[in-house]
Amino acid sequence: MMLKLVIIGGGSSYTPEIIEGMIDRHDQFPVTEIALVDIEKGKQKLDVISRLAKRMVKKSGKDITITASLDRRNALKNADFVTSQIRVGGLKAREKDERIPLSYGALGQETNGAGGIFKALRTIPVLLEVSKDMAELCPNAWLINFTNPAGMVTEALLKYGSHKRVIGVCNIPFNMRTGVAEILGCQTEDVEIEFIGLNHFVFGRRVLVKGVDYTSIVIERLKDPSNQYSPANIVSEGWSSTFLSSFMMLPNPYHSYYFKGAEMLEKSLKEYWENGTRAEVVQQVEEELFKKYDDKELTEKPTELEKRGGAFYSDAACNVMTSIYTNKGDIQTVNVQNNGTISDLPNDAVIETNAVMGGEGPRPISIGTLPLSIRGIIQLMKNMEELVIEAAVKGDRERLYQALVINPLVREETLAKDLMEELLDAHKEDLPQFYQQV
Ligand code: G6P
């Protein structure tokens, strides 16, 4: 039987992770073809990755065919699963998202603040095209999206896309689970975290280990700043005892940008003066990685990939695909449409939540109302995301301006206008929806 996976953005430096994930799970998820797809600009990287993928598969002895192509529509034919990991405008565009806000003294970050908003504006229209192609060419395939900002992109696809079999994934919930397992000295499989909220704005409300409530023990241990679960791109010094005892929830590493803003800004500026933006650091890491990937002797994923913040994202993606394929019915954390899971948010909002994962896709586990302590900020963040999505789809400057004004990392009306104009201009090439002739 054929089982085809298409990777959109196959030339990404993260691809060896997915290949490894597919090899490791081959007994349960016997993929027969992995089709790597990229755009003309990414051809060189795609070639390097496809050669490495072929060497990895050969070494594993698994019966998987690797193909590489620039023809997305052709590759999508007969796909069973599609993953998306694209970066519209490349790392150069990310550099602008990070540098321009910082130059105004505002936090600039790949998925947060003004930078994250502009990444969404560039990305959403491109993925809506992929969605259109999928509806036509592989209507039964599942799209597993980890293209950032994953929550907003997934919501845009589910609201405006032609293809509705879409699930968003992120490595943060996965990292938090493995981090908590380390803190408690137990196995990741035994840890369950009840996640509530939005992508990169998710909280862990309860920690269970083999069904026993460990929430207060984990909260207590998090007071020691050496107990962490931050990815490589976020340097966190931990949380105060007052904060942890009061909220009694596990924050995710991205909450530092919102609740430790002054400290994060100071750190980001220092980092920027010393090493440049994170995008520049990542470009260097990528250069080293691709040199390694091009080595004919290399037949496995090099450990250096762990210097990237998104490391282990593919575990989340591969687990989702395997559970759908095998109708496993286990619990996974995914980005899906709310549909009443959280009663304080709109039905069509995408939330990051635990879901039972089976053959028909995710079935979210009901949460009820949000805790009073975080209800408002989650509603605000979702409201901001809804404005961004509308702006991205319609090329609507009013919606964009409103999103920037209410974003907690901007929150100043004149700053919002200045950032909007400078970023729109800087990304002109990748934002055709804002420059169409009427
Ligand atoms: C985190 C996030 C990812 C993001 C990554 C950036 O782990 O969850 O969504 O892509 O960091 O990492 P980078 O190495 O590109 O800064």
Side-chain angles (χ1 to χ4, degrees):
M1 211 179 85
M2 301 290 283
L3 180 57
K4 181 176 180 181
L5 166 66
V6 178
I7 304 182
I8 314 268
S12 156
S13 58
Y14 284 116
T15 301
E17 252 199 42
I18 273 234
I19 305 292
E20 185 189 72
M22 289 290 99
I23 292 172
D24 290 348
R25 289 167 182 79
H26 201 251
D27 294 343
Q28 302 161 61
F29 187 76
V31 64
T32 53
E33 180 183 349
I34 302 180
L36 308 175
V37 180
D38 220 303
I39 54 170
E40 184 63 47
K41 254 190 187 164
K43 182 163 185 329
Q44 234 180 331
K45 282 185 171 178
L46 180 66
D47 289 342
V48 174
I49 295 285
S50 108
R51 288 196 295 268
L52 171 60
K54 284 180 185 160
R55 293 195 299 273
M56 289 172 74
V57 166
K58 190 169 174 206
K59 187 188 173 199
S60 75
K62 306 286 180 193
D63 193 7
I64 308 173
T65 307
I66 302 284
T67 59
S69 127
L70 304 181
D71 185 344
R72 181 176 80 209
R73 284 182 55 82
N74 196 40
L76 283 175
K77 285 180 197 151
N78 306 317
D80 298 289
F81 288 90
V82 178
T83 62
S84 147
Q85 47 181 38
I86 62 170
R87 190 186 287 286
V88 180
L91 284 164
K92 290 284 170 209
R94 174 174 173 183
E95 213 177 298
K96 296 177 197 167
D97 285 340
E98 294 174 336
R99 183 175 32 79
I100 294 172
L102 273 183
S103 73
Y104 285 86
L107 271 167
Q109 213 277 329
E110 179 187 33
T111 58
N112 291 270
I117 291 179
F118 272 79
K119 188 173 190 343
L121 300 181
R122 296 194 299 277
T123 312
I124 287 170
V126 177
L127 276 171
L128 286 175
E129 287 300 312
V130 172
S131 163
K132 210 190 281 172
D133 288 348
M134 284 186 69
E136 181 192 334
L137 301 162
C138 50
N140 292 320
W142 282 97
L143 173 61
I144 314 296
N145 175 62
F146 24 87
T147 291
N148 267 324
M152 282 195 258
V153 168
T154 305
E155 181 163 323
L157 285 167
L158 287 167
K159 271 184 178 167
Y160 296 99
S162 340
H163 187 83
K164 301 294 180 192
R165 291 190 139 198
V166 182
I167 303 172
V169 294
C170 177
N171 63 341
I172 292 295
F174 185 81
N175 286 2
M176 285 173 73
R177 262 182 83 207
T178 43
V180 165
E182 255 173 56
I183 292 169
L184 292 174
C186 63
Q187 298 295 315
T188 306
E189 304 77 69
D190 295 335
V191 176
E192 195 186 311
I193 303 181
E194 195 180 290
F195 286 104
I196 45 170
L198 314 177
N199 179 234
H200 287 187
F201 211 88
V202 78
F203 291 87
R205 179 162 69 171
R206 221 147 71 105
V207 179
L208 298 173
V209 179
K210 291 188 178 171
V212 179
D213 197 324
Y214 271 71
T215 317
S216 46
I217 296 175
V218 175
I219 299 277
E220 211 40 50
R221 300 217 179 146
L222 282 177
K223 292 178 182 170
D224 172 353
S226 64
N227 285 331
Q228 288 278 335
Y229 40 63
S230 285
N233 59 319
I234 305 175
V235 187
S236 166
E237 262 133 51
W239 299 93
S240 75
S241 161
T242 313
F243 174 81
L244 290 166
S245 299
S246 175
F247 281 76
M248 275 312 277
M249 273 182 288
L250 278 62
N252 89 75
Y254 283 91
H255 282 134
S256 308
Y257 289 99
Y258 299 87
F259 306 142
K260 294 169 91 77
E263 194 180 294
M264 287 302 274
L265 179 60
E266 196 186 316
K267 238 191 273 176
S268 301
L269 284 168
K270 189 165 172 280
E271 178 66 23
Y272 174 55
W273 290 321
E274 283 170 10
N275 302 314
T277 57
R278 173 76 188 160
E280 287 163 282
V281 173
V282 164
Q283 281 172 65
Q284 276 177 14
V285 175
E286 282 222 333
E287 212 175 291
E288 285 167 35
L289 274 175
F290 272 91
K291 259 189 225 148
K292 286 226 148 182
Y293 291 171
D294 211 13
D295 177 354
K296 288 190 187 65
E297 302 301 312
L298 185 76
T299 52
E300 57 191 30
K301 179 192 86 176
T303 49
E304 283 85 347
L305 188 50
E306 286 161 29
K307 287 190 196 161
R308 294 297 304 276
F312 308 116
Y313 80 95
S314 62
D315 273 310
C318 293
N319 288 344
V320 166
M321 292 191 276
T322 307
S323 291
I324 292 178
Y325 182 74
T326 59
N327 190 21
K328 193 166 176 185
D330 58 339
I331 294 176
Q332 301 198 14
T333 312
V334 282
N335 283 262
V336 286
Q337 232 164 16
N338 181 31
N339 286 329
T341 308
I342 296 178
S343 51
D344 313 301
L345 291 176
N347 280 340
D348 61 358
V350 161
I351 57 169
E352 192 159 270
T353 190
N354 289 349
V356 176
M357 196 62 68
E360 285 304 312
R363 280 176 289 129
I365 299 170
S366 175
I367 287 172
T369 54
L370 289 166
L372 181 60
S373 53
I374 55 165
R375 189 205 297 153
I377 192 142
I378 289 187
Q379 287 174 329
L380 169 70
M381 291 301 288
K382 179 44 71 187
N383 187 178
M384 187 276 302
E385 292 188 355
E386 291 176 282
L387 292 168
V388 175
I389 294 164
E390 251 193 65
V393 173
K394 299 176 183 159
D396 184 332
R397 286 177 191 237
E398 294 310 329
R399 290 298 192 219
L400 170 57
Y401 173 69
Q402 291 159 3
L404 284 160
V405 173
I406 70 165
N407 188 298
L409 304 187
V410 181
R411 229 196 42 206
E412 294 282 339
E413 55 119 345
T414 47
L415 174 63
K417 181 165 184 291
D418 292 346
L419 281 175
M420 177 170 90
E421 279 170 7
E422 191 164 340
L423 281 158
L424 273 176
D425 194 51
H427 291 301
K428 209 171 184 163
E429 251 178 63
D430 294 316
L431 294 174
Q433 73 271 45
F434 288 92
Y435 291 94
Q436 269 148 12
Q437 303 292 336
V438 214

